[in-house]
Amino acid sequence: MSANLPLDIRPVAPSELPVLRELAEDTFITAFGAANTPEDMASYVQANFSMEHFQKMYQQAGVMFFLAWLDDQAVAYLKLNTGDAQSEKDLEDALEIERIYVDAAYQGKGLGQSLLAFSVAHARQLRKKWIWLGVWDQNQGAIRFYERHGFRTFSQHDFFLGKDHQIDLLMKKKLA
């Protein structure tokens, strides 16, 4: 479990943006490449994983990126959003986990759970009443993971991967 791994979760420094961008692209392709067409994946990756795109997101108010390090290797990352940076605007006093990805070689070692706990603690530190996220309705493993941690589906929204129309379930958890 993660308790045995010396995971260091810290904000992404500007000089670490290339590391973040590469990890983000690699983990996204690994997670969803087999379930989508090469054309849709290529279109989405081209539009969403350029260095310019990451620089723009990094500078956006309300966006927070974190890298999780084991020794000197970035093995996972988070993108958290508050205020107008959230992809859904109707949730007041909320923090969005827009992205939570772990390198495939480190999955099953409790890192996802550590990142989720970090996100909840960060939301509480910001005095948010809710934490929420979107998860592909076909990703049953992730849905079960979030349900085990107290998240419940409250809505859905459209997501386009290339030309493919997909549905993300929106899940939230009330913070005590």
Side-chain angles (χ1 to χ4, degrees):
M1 288 302 271
S2 61
N4 298 330
L5 298 176
L7 190 64
D8 180 19
I9 303 169
R10 62 180 188 251
V12 174
S15 63
E16 296 170 329
L17 278 175
V19 173
L20 172 66
R21 192 217 61 78
E22 184 176 346
L23 180 63
E25 182 177 337
D26 290 348
T27 56
F28 185 84
I29 291 170
T30 299
F32 301 111
N36 291 281
T37 68
E39 298 80 15
D40 284 333
M41 286 297 293
S43 174
Y44 188 83
V45 167
Q46 182 179 11
N48 292 280
F49 291 96
S50 69
M51 183 53 68
E52 295 77 18
H53 185 73
F54 270 78
Q55 289 168 334
K56 183 178 178 185
M57 286 189 300
Y58 184 81
Q59 295 170 355
Q60 183 180 356
V63 171
M64 298 158 281
F65 280 106
F66 297 88
L67 280 169
W69 299 84
L70 283 175
D71 299 318
D72 61 351
Q73 184 172 355
V75 297
Y77 81 100
L78 286 169
K79 181 179 185 230
L80 305 178
N81 300 323
T82 60
D84 289 339
Q86 295 180 91
S87 57
E88 293 291 325
K89 309 299 185 210
D90 295 336
L91 294 171
E92 293 185 29
D93 289 325
L95 179 131
E96 175 187 15
I97 303 173
E98 185 177 348
R99 297 189 185 153
I100 182 169
Y101 283 90
V102 176
D103 183 283
Y106 294 91
Q107 289 181 359
K109 300 182 186 308
L111 275 63
Q113 188 168 332
S114 293
L115 292 166
L116 185 57
F118 176 90
S119 300
V120 169
H122 194 73
R124 285 188 172 124
Q125 186 177 36
L126 296 173
R127 301 188 186 281
K128 300 299 182 186
K129 293 181 182 174
W130 298 94
I131 189 164
W132 71 280
L133 52 86
V135 59
W136 187 27
D137 69 350
Q138 301 300 304
N139 192 345
Q140 294 302 311
I143 293 167
R144 285 190 302 274
F145 172 79
Y146 294 122
E147 286 175 341
R148 281 195 311 272
H149 291 281
F151 285 79
R152 298 294 174 251
T153 301
F154 68 95
S155 190
Q156 65 184 38
H157 67 198
D158 296 328
F159 179 82
F160 285 88
L161 193 132
K163 294 181 181 177
D164 187 30
H165 175 241
Q166 300 179 358
I167 301 294
D168 277 353
L169 299 179
L170 304 182
M171 303 180 79
K172 69 181 177 179
K173 176 179 180 172
K174 186 166 180 63
L175 301 174

